[in-house]
Amino acid sequence: MDHFDYRNGVLHAEDVPLPEIAATVGTPVYVYSAATFRRHYQLFDEALAGMDHLICYAMKANGNLAVLKLMNDLGAGVDVVSGGEYAKARAAGVPGERIVFSGVGKTRDEMRAALEGGIRQFNVESEPELLALGEVAVAMGLRAPMALRVNPDVDARTHAKIATGKSENKFGIPISRAREVYARAAALPGIEVVGVDVHIGSQLTDLAPFEAAFEKLADLTRALRADGHVISRLDLGGGLGIPYDQGNSMPPQPHDYGEVVRRTVGDLGCEIEIEPGRLIAGNAGILLSRVIWLKHGEGRDFLIVDAAMNDLVRPAMYEAYHDIVPVVQPAPGAARAPVDVVGPVCETGDTFVRGCEMPVLGSDDLIAFRSAGAYGAVMASEYNMRPLVPEVMVSGDQFAVIRARPSFDEMINRDKVPEWL
Ligand SMILES: *Cc1c(COP(=O)(O)O)cnc(C)c1O
């Protein structure tokens, strides 16, 4: 559920009509609803009620400073995957003891920075990384809190580019080798074993892969304890999917996910960590765009809009679908026709949807791409010298620009021409 609804025929973000934001900030622009972010956090919090838990928001889904502040104020932790994300989480005021550091290729510099600034745990994904982390920590006179990310060899049944829990994926340590690697970890003076971690993929629309992975994790936890390790935390990763096509698909709710957690690992006495990104941010944002032209092609019509693949790359990258809706609701019975909705970028991949039955729109009409709050703005680029897409946060009847659109001068002056050229 989100807070983007029609009121008197006009799409609003909470109490703010979207045409007002378009008029003030221009288009394209991402618009987020603070209430929706809060609601999604609360759904997870309620789903895990009764179990000791920490929700570590995966900031790679949407890492705007204002979003991080909002999550931090709720008491959320943060899951980071780079030194840059770590620095930004700290800049947003997130304390180190609520930051989990994930990622398959952490550098020694990144490890050092996190150990220096404070860190809840590193989720380690390989033996070379384990050894390096141990060395870095010893050199600093510290012990690095560590969970091993295990790869449970479970098919997440999601898009191949975002499935991470099969043995052929680059992520984690094969669960069959985990006991051996934990034994190595326990022998390292710079390492403090605190838990076990798993993350099997993103946009999961079925609970069965979670259940299979968490059961394997529970078995592993019992085995590791029998081996003498202290396992006090289980990090279950993120991955719960969201509905991208309103009405047609209904992924499981956080409540049902919580039941799976309870059933599989609830009796182990561990603190549960989860790392949701998409479910928190996805439906908390839309991409607001304006129609440039309706172009009649041979046998098909193209709705050319001012948002493009550089602003929202998911359709081009993952064949993802986003509902596209007119901001002003058409009169009942108004004409509809199939169109390809495309951006102005010089790539055929710059197509958001093909042959989509939509109300007939024309120049200057506003449209909204729904469910664009996660993996939208964070993946944006300035390809074709298009300014990095701005972001707006709405709360009730207020809104603010939380990242401004750069001017052409700012963009041009970032480049430097060497004197000798
Ligand atoms: C991407 C990622 C997440 C978040 O996944 P969502 O599908 O957005 O919930 C969590 N943990 C790790 C390690 C990730 O790489």
Side-chain angles (χ1 to χ4, degrees):
M1 208 209 83
D2 60 46
H3 290 77
F4 297 94
D5 297 305
Y6 289 100
R7 295 188 191 172
N8 300 319
V10 176
L11 193 59
H12 282 58
E14 303 190 21
D15 301 333
V16 179
L18 289 176
E20 192 181 324
I21 294 175
T24 316
V25 187
T27 54
V29 57
Y30 278 96
V31 181
Y32 307 133
S33 152
T36 310
F37 273 101
R38 292 196 185 99
R39 178 183 151 80
H40 291 160
Y41 172 84
Q42 254 122 30
L43 285 178
F44 274 119
D45 200 36
E46 285 159 20
L48 299 179
M51 291 179 277
D52 193 12
H53 66 270
L54 182 68
I55 299 161
C56 295
Y57 169 60
M59 69 174 280
K60 78 173 194 277
N62 186 326
N64 189 287
L65 215 49
V67 171
L68 296 178
K69 160 97 169 53
L70 185 159
M71 298 306 301
N72 186 45
D73 288 351
L74 290 168
V78 173
D79 173 61
V80 306
V81 291
S82 71
E85 283 197 350
Y86 177 82
K88 199 169 185 184
R90 296 288 286 135
V94 183
E97 63 263 28
R98 277 199 261 128
I99 302 179
V100 167
F101 204 143
S102 298
V104 69
K106 304 173 198 76
T107 65
R108 286 170 190 259
D109 282 346
E110 289 175 323
M111 295 170 183
R112 215 170 281 124
L115 281 168
E116 219 161 72
I119 189 81
R120 175 179 179 82
Q121 103 204 11
F122 290 91
N123 289 337
V124 165
E125 301 215 14
S126 68
E127 288 171 89
E129 184 193 346
L130 175 67
L131 297 179
L133 181 62
E135 284 169 19
V136 169
V138 163
M140 297 173 75
L142 297 171
R143 291 181 80 205
M146 193 255 1
L148 209 61
R149 175 168 176 182
V150 295
N151 185 324
D153 196 20
V154 163
D155 185 351
R157 289 180 233 157
T158 181
H159 190 278
K161 286 187 186 172
I162 48 175
T164 60
K166 282 290 283 176
S167 55
E168 69 256 31
N169 301 132
K170 69 179 177 181
F171 299 97
I173 287 184
I175 197 161
S176 55
R177 294 209 43 235
R179 287 172 77 177
E180 181 191 334
V181 180
Y182 269 95
R184 271 190 100 175
L188 297 174
I191 296 291
E192 181 196 1
V193 171
V194 295
V196 190
D197 168 49
V198 71
H199 170 72
I200 57 173
S202 198
Q203 186 53 19
L204 272 73
T205 52
D206 179 0
L207 290 174
F210 286 119
E211 180 133 20
F214 299 168
E215 267 165 9
K216 288 188 176 192
L217 207 63
D219 289 342
L220 176 63
T221 300
R222 285 184 271 267
L224 291 173
R225 284 177 170 169
D227 291 344
H229 301 286
V230 177
I231 305 295
S232 58
R233 298 179 190 161
L234 293 182
D235 184 336
L236 305 178
L240 196 56
I242 62 169
Y244 278 102
D245 49 347
Q246 303 274 325
N248 286 324
S249 74
M250 210 52 225
Q253 301 291 303
H255 172 81
D256 307 320
Y257 172 88
E259 287 309 305
V260 170
V261 173
R262 210 176 300 277
R263 196 157 65 229
T264 51
V265 298
D267 62 347
L268 292 168
C270 285
E271 181 174 6
I272 304 297
E273 298 164 332
I274 59 168
E275 305 167 345
R278 189 187 308 271
L279 198 136
I280 298 223
N283 287 332
I286 57 115
L287 174 60
L288 182 60
S289 174
R290 203 180 277 284
V291 175
I292 304 177
W293 320 109
L294 176 62
K295 171 176 167 176
H296 297 291
E298 213 162 332
R300 57 195 321 134
D301 290 341
F302 299 95
L303 195 67
I304 305 175
V305 303
D306 68 359
M309 64 187 287
N310 70 298
D311 306 307
L312 177 64
V313 77
R314 298 189 63 259
M317 189 149 140
Y318 310 119
E319 291 133 3
Y321 172 80
H322 287 265
D323 269 339
I324 302 172
V325 296
V327 166
V328 177
Q329 243 171 350
R336 296 172 69 87
V339 288
D340 289 11
V341 181
V342 302
V345 161
C346 305
E347 303 242 5
T348 302
D350 188 21
T351 297
F352 291 111
V353 65
R354 288 170 67 81
C356 177
E357 183 87 7
M358 281 182 59
V360 175
L361 299 174
S363 294
D364 293 330
D365 285 339
L366 290 170
I367 59 167
F369 295 80
R370 283 188 170 276
S371 311
Y375 307 104
V378 280
M379 285 190 171
S381 76
E382 293 185 339
Y383 187 39
N384 280 209
M385 186 64 192
R386 292 168 50 85
L388 198 61
V389 57
E391 297 169 271
V392 163
M393 176 78 82
V394 172
S395 183
D397 61 0
Q398 327 174 64
F399 71 91
V401 175
I402 58 172
R403 184 199 274 157
R405 191 190 316 275
S407 68
F408 289 152
D409 277 349
E410 284 172 286
M411 293 167 68
I412 293 164
N413 290 328
R414 256 185 253 138
D415 291 2
K416 298 291 171 228
V417 178
E419 264 169 42
W420 43 259
L421 198 68

